[in-house]
Amino acid sequence: MHNNSKSESYAAAGVDITAGYKAVELMKKHIARTKNEGCLDDVGGFGGCFGLPVAGMEEPVLVSGTDGCGTKVKMAILMDKHDTIGIDAVAMCVNDIICCGAKPLFFLDYIACGKNIPEKIAAIVGGVAEGCVQSGAALIGGETAEHPGMMPQEDYDLAGFAVGIVDKKKILDNTRMAEGDVVIALASTGVHSNGFSLCRKVFEIDKNPDSLYVPCPELGGKSIAETLLTPTKIYVKSILALLEQVDVKGISHITGGGFYENIPRSIPKGLTAKIDKSAVRVLPIFDLIAKTGNIPERDMYNTYNMGVGMSVVVPAAQVDRALEILTENGETAYVIGEIVKGDEGVVLD
């Protein structure tokens, strides 16, 4: 704590700098959980230092990714539950960089809030730390900014970025993808962190927030709120294990834009991922969204992950081994399609 640092004038304007100091103290125990071999100093300096683990690499390449949680943050605020949204922030970044074959090294977060309530900020960072633990990344710094007048006191937004590393020769190169390769799905935990503006519209969350807490038979007795706030799955450790033993030719993180936008990002020109819709294990929440909002199937697959958080392309001869490795690492993995000739990028039959 900075005992001599206090501004009554700044506090009168809506910014309590001592609350920021308290938040840092409260979050240190969470940050300590994420320390790995690259960490060089403690939180509190002007920059986070990290020693690069490049032993055994011929040409180390840094890979970075940045993202936020979208309007899923609104769900956390409505439920007054702030200890899992940080997992989403980490997941959206590390799941992107693993698509290149990069191992996450460290993460930094940014929280903008209407009013700094130290216990709330510490809970948010606790979620960030959990996401870092799940992905093997160190939380080496961040920023909390109090913005009175720009947002209501109870509101906040959360974003961050991750940096990973990969040997240049091991960066995933989809130019080796070929007709006959197989597309494997890795199951999602739910909506993850995309399409929440449509969710809020479909369930009229802003008009009738109480409806969020009613148990739904379609969701196995869980409420809509509980289901929607389920954290985004982090696939880093299972994908890293897969990359060690299987010839992975492409990976797609299924985020905003669903199947139609994300799967083609890992498919080279001249080839198309042919997805068997009947093989996709659609989660109940997506059926409920489509039914409640009368959303066409095409729009659902172009907005949501539909139960597939990540897709992986492997040679047909290595499918069984790939499924075995992914299952051993806690994934629900199954075949949803194949690579065929064509320029569509992805087709759903």
Side-chain angles (χ1 to χ4, degrees):
M1 295 287 289
H2 300 254
N3 294 323
N4 294 324
S5 179
K6 185 175 183 180
S7 170
E8 298 292 348
S9 298
Y10 209 5
V15 178
D16 184 357
I17 57 177
T18 60
Y21 302 146
K22 182 179 179 182
V24 170
E25 291 299 318
L26 291 174
M27 68 179 68
K28 281 185 176 180
K29 64 180 180 181
H30 300 298
I31 297 169
R33 297 177 57 216
T34 75
K35 286 189 177 296
N36 59 29
E37 69 278 5
C39 296
L40 299 180
D41 60 10
D42 294 325
V43 173
F46 287 96
C49 298
F50 193 91
L52 291 179
V54 298
M57 292 190 181
E58 296 177 9
E59 293 184 80
V61 176
L62 295 179
V63 180
S64 61
T66 185
D67 209 338
C69 310
T71 58
K72 186 171 186 175
V73 172
K74 186 71 171 179
M75 295 297 306
I77 294 170
L78 285 171
M79 292 185 67
D80 194 25
K81 180 175 172 54
H82 313 285
D83 59 348
T84 61
I85 194 70
I87 300 175
D88 294 284
V90 176
M92 295 303 291
C93 298
V94 297
N95 283 346
D96 276 355
I97 67 175
I98 195 64
C99 291
C100 301
K103 176 184 178 181
L105 295 175
F106 59 82
F107 185 85
L108 283 86
D109 60 41
Y110 176 81
I111 304 169
C113 57
K115 181 177 178 59
N116 188 330
I117 301 172
E119 293 77 12
K120 179 190 288 188
I121 299 301
I124 296 168
V125 175
V128 173
E130 175 59 27
C132 287
V133 169
Q134 291 183 23
S135 61
L139 179 56
I140 64 170
E143 173 69 13
T144 301
E146 199 169 11
H147 290 168
M150 288 188 65
M151 58 179 72
Q153 289 191 356
E154 69 274 12
D155 281 5
Y156 62 88
D157 197 13
L158 171 65
F161 76 92
V163 174
I165 193 167
V166 62
D167 202 341
K168 186 175 181 180
K169 65 183 180 182
K170 293 185 178 181
I171 296 175
L172 291 184
D173 181 2
N174 66 10
T175 59
R176 297 184 303 102
M177 199 175 291
E179 184 180 11
D181 287 341
V182 175
V183 184
I184 294 175
L186 278 66
S188 70
T189 51
V191 180
H192 282 184
S193 299
N194 301 102
F196 273 81
S197 294
L198 181 55
C199 286
R200 287 165 51 222
K201 180 177 184 294
V202 166
F203 296 121
E204 297 187 329
I205 289 171
D206 296 335
K207 296 180 181 178
N208 186 22
D210 291 343
S211 64
L212 287 173
Y213 307 101
V214 178
C216 291
E218 299 95 330
L219 301 177
K222 290 185 176 181
S223 68
I224 293 173
E226 181 183 3
T227 302
L228 291 180
L229 203 56
T230 302
T232 304
K233 174 78 172 177
I234 292 177
Y235 300 97
V236 170
K237 293 181 179 179
S238 56
I239 291 295
L240 287 175
L242 185 68
L243 290 170
E244 290 180 357
Q245 301 181 57
V246 171
D247 181 19
V248 178
K249 296 187 177 182
I251 303 175
S252 289
H253 182 199
I254 313 301
T255 56
F259 281 50
Y260 286 101
E261 181 174 328
N262 292 289
I263 292 180
R265 295 171 66 178
S266 65
I267 311 297
K269 290 183 178 180
L271 293 177
T272 292
K274 184 179 179 182
I275 305 299
D276 179 3
K277 281 190 296 186
S278 67
V280 177
R281 301 175 188 178
V282 178
L283 295 176
I285 183 62
F286 298 111
D287 290 330
L288 184 61
I289 292 170
K291 178 182 177 181
T292 305
N294 194 27
I295 308 298
E297 183 182 68
R298 175 65 166 73
D299 289 355
M300 290 296 296
Y301 277 93
N302 206 166
T303 304
Y304 296 107
N305 67 62
M306 301 301 287
V308 180
M310 189 162 277
S311 65
V312 178
V313 177
V314 302
Q318 297 186 39
V319 170
D320 289 344
R321 182 58 182 144
L323 292 174
E324 181 181 14
I325 293 168
L326 291 168
T327 301
E328 288 174 351
N329 283 273
E331 302 297 344
T332 299
Y334 56 96
V335 173
I336 57 170
E338 63 178 336
I339 301 300
V340 299
K341 290 183 179 179
D343 294 318
E344 295 92 342
V346 64
V347 293
L348 277 66
D349 286 338

